[in-house]
Amino acid sequence: MAQQAYMTETDNGGSGPERRRDRFRRLMSHLFSGWRGDPGIWRRGMVLAALAVILALVMLLHARIPNRVGNLGSLTETFLPWLGLLIPVLLLSALVRKSATALIALLVPVTVWLNLFGGLLSDKTGSGGDLTVATHNVNADNPDPSGTARDVAASGADVVALEELTATAVPVYERALESTYKYHSVQGTVGLWSKYPMSDVRAVDIKLGWTRAMRATVTTPEGPVAFYVAHLPSVRVKLEAGFTARQRDTSADALGEAIADERLPRKILLGDLNGTMNDRSLNGVTSQMRSTQGAAGNGFGFSWPASFPMARIDQIMVQGIEPVSSWTLPATGSDHLPVAARVNLDTSS
């Protein structure tokens, strides 16, 4: 009798997964009960429905948001994918309010978000390719430059670009990479390391007054490729000035002009552009090159900040070259994640 009472008490109390399932069922029952026969489901939630439509319009017409006041348009475009997080908030609010109108209105931002970013959710990684490249903003305050260099080299990249190099750290990176990369050049605060011969190396003027961009011809087994390495000026979000990016925008236009003037048909841009592919201010570059992550990546490939990546501002872009795969590398001592890509230089087939 005592054993039977014990078993009954245990069954009624419940715990673990079964108890959590019961709580979930009660929550769902509460959210969906009382919908049938309630005419108020069409009248309630008008404000939520309006917010859903506004959210859809912001995402759909982001290019129309003006930059005249605090570069608000560029700021919105930098974190545009994250606006999708508002959709589940509105969904839960619509369920709590028992509003069919709000639920139907939510289909609009869902459709817009999927149209903008749904393609990034699928894995477009391919196989093959004949050249692997990587780029990394190593951070001027990196506490372990030698370890960072070894980590990037371990990716197997044939060509590596590093940005935010300091005069004191350059010899450390050179020593750490010399056994893997026979050829290299550092111009100002950016550098390029290659397993293949480099020529026609020069700084690229991006209207800063000091060197943060360079160009080099890398002679691969499949022929010459023009490599550009760039670290565009940082942007800041200031209370009194908004999203300050004028210097970044000027440099982006200058970089775009240099790439447009390039005579070699195959071009690769590696670097920290301090902006995403959605940011209209980078159109001088993005309008003529393809992102390897967008074409052959898996997911968004966010690279910054390394502790909790929220945006892909470190880019690998190509022209006259076919991206095969694109990915982020494990964190190093930098506040950025390294990114890498494998490409096919022979696009004749």
Side-chain angles (χ1 to χ4, degrees):
M1 181 69 69
Q3 183 179 7
Q4 182 178 358
Y6 172 77
M7 292 175 62
T8 303
E9 184 178 347
T10 303
D11 291 342
N12 288 340
S15 63
E18 186 175 347
R19 189 169 186 177
R20 285 193 293 271
R21 284 195 294 270
D22 289 341
R23 289 175 179 173
F24 179 75
R25 291 192 194 100
R26 288 196 296 270
L27 176 61
M28 292 297 101
S29 176
H30 173 72
L31 290 176
F32 290 101
S33 64
W35 287 67
R36 182 175 298 179
D38 180 4
I41 62 175
W42 300 106
R43 295 193 297 268
R44 290 190 297 267
M46 292 298 179
V47 173
L48 291 174
L51 290 175
V53 172
I54 291 172
L55 175 60
L57 290 174
V58 169
M59 292 189 292
L60 184 64
L61 304 176
H62 62 86
R64 303 288 185 108
I65 301 174
N67 260 343
R68 290 188 297 273
V69 180
N71 276 296
L72 183 59
S74 287
L75 178 60
T76 302
E77 289 165 339
T78 297
F79 299 102
L80 193 61
W82 293 93
L83 292 180
L85 291 180
L86 295 176
I87 293 175
V89 175
L90 292 174
L91 173 61
L92 182 59
S93 300
L95 291 175
V96 171
R97 287 282 292 150
K98 291 184 172 61
S99 170
T101 301
L103 287 176
I104 293 174
L106 268 176
L107 293 175
V108 182
V110 168
T111 301
V112 172
W113 193 93
L114 288 175
N115 182 62
L116 289 173
F117 304 111
L120 293 174
L121 300 180
S122 61
D123 186 356
K124 298 177 290 297
T125 302
S127 58
D130 42 38
L131 187 75
T132 301
V133 298
T135 181
H136 190 23
N137 179 326
V138 296
N139 189 357
D141 298 321
N142 192 318
D144 183 19
S146 181
T148 295
R150 289 193 299 270
D151 289 344
V152 176
S155 67
D158 301 299
V159 182
V160 170
L162 301 181
E163 304 87 48
E164 208 165 296
L165 296 170
T166 64
T168 56
V170 166
V172 179
Y173 287 107
E174 290 175 331
R175 288 193 297 271
L177 295 172
E178 64 182 355
S179 62
T180 305
Y181 302 97
K182 184 177 180 179
Y183 309 94
H184 87 279
S185 175
V186 174
Q187 303 286 322
T189 62
V190 298
L192 189 68
W193 277 258
S194 172
K195 294 179 180 179
Y196 305 120
M198 294 168 52
S199 60
D200 197 10
V201 179
R202 61 179 183 268
V204 174
D205 181 12
I206 55 173
K207 312 302 182 186
L208 283 176
W210 69 96
T211 301
R212 282 176 50 148
M214 64 176 289
R215 179 251 182 238
T217 297
V218 175
T219 304
T220 73
E222 288 73 29
V225 178
F227 273 83
Y228 285 80
V229 183
H231 182 195
L232 298 187
S234 300
V235 296
R236 298 287 185 268
V237 180
K238 299 180 181 179
L239 184 62
E240 71 279 7
F243 191 64
T244 58
R246 183 173 301 173
Q247 195 174 42
R248 190 276 316 264
D249 299 347
T250 300
S251 292
D253 290 341
L255 177 62
E257 291 173 6
I259 294 172
D261 291 339
E262 174 60 51
R263 294 184 178 181
L264 289 178
R266 295 185 293 190
K267 313 170 191 178
I268 297 179
L269 170 62
L270 306 168
D272 174 6
L273 302 189
N274 270 307
T276 68
M277 294 296 295
N278 296 311
D279 191 336
R280 78 196 70 171
S281 296
L282 300 184
N283 281 351
V285 175
T286 58
S287 62
Q288 57 181 319
M289 305 190 83
R290 298 174 68 193
S291 163
T292 59
Q293 186 65 29
N298 181 13
F300 290 94
F302 293 148
S303 63
W304 177 88
S307 57
F308 187 82
M310 297 183 65
R312 184 180 177 88
I313 63 176
D314 301 276
Q315 307 291 353
I316 299 176
M317 305 183 68
V318 299
Q319 185 183 71
I321 291 169
E322 188 63 30
V324 173
S325 57
S326 187
W327 64 96
T328 56
L329 298 170
T332 67
S334 173
D335 56 340
H336 292 242
L337 293 178
V339 297
R342 187 151 180 83
V343 300
N344 188 1
L345 298 178
D346 183 6
T347 59
S348 58
S349 58

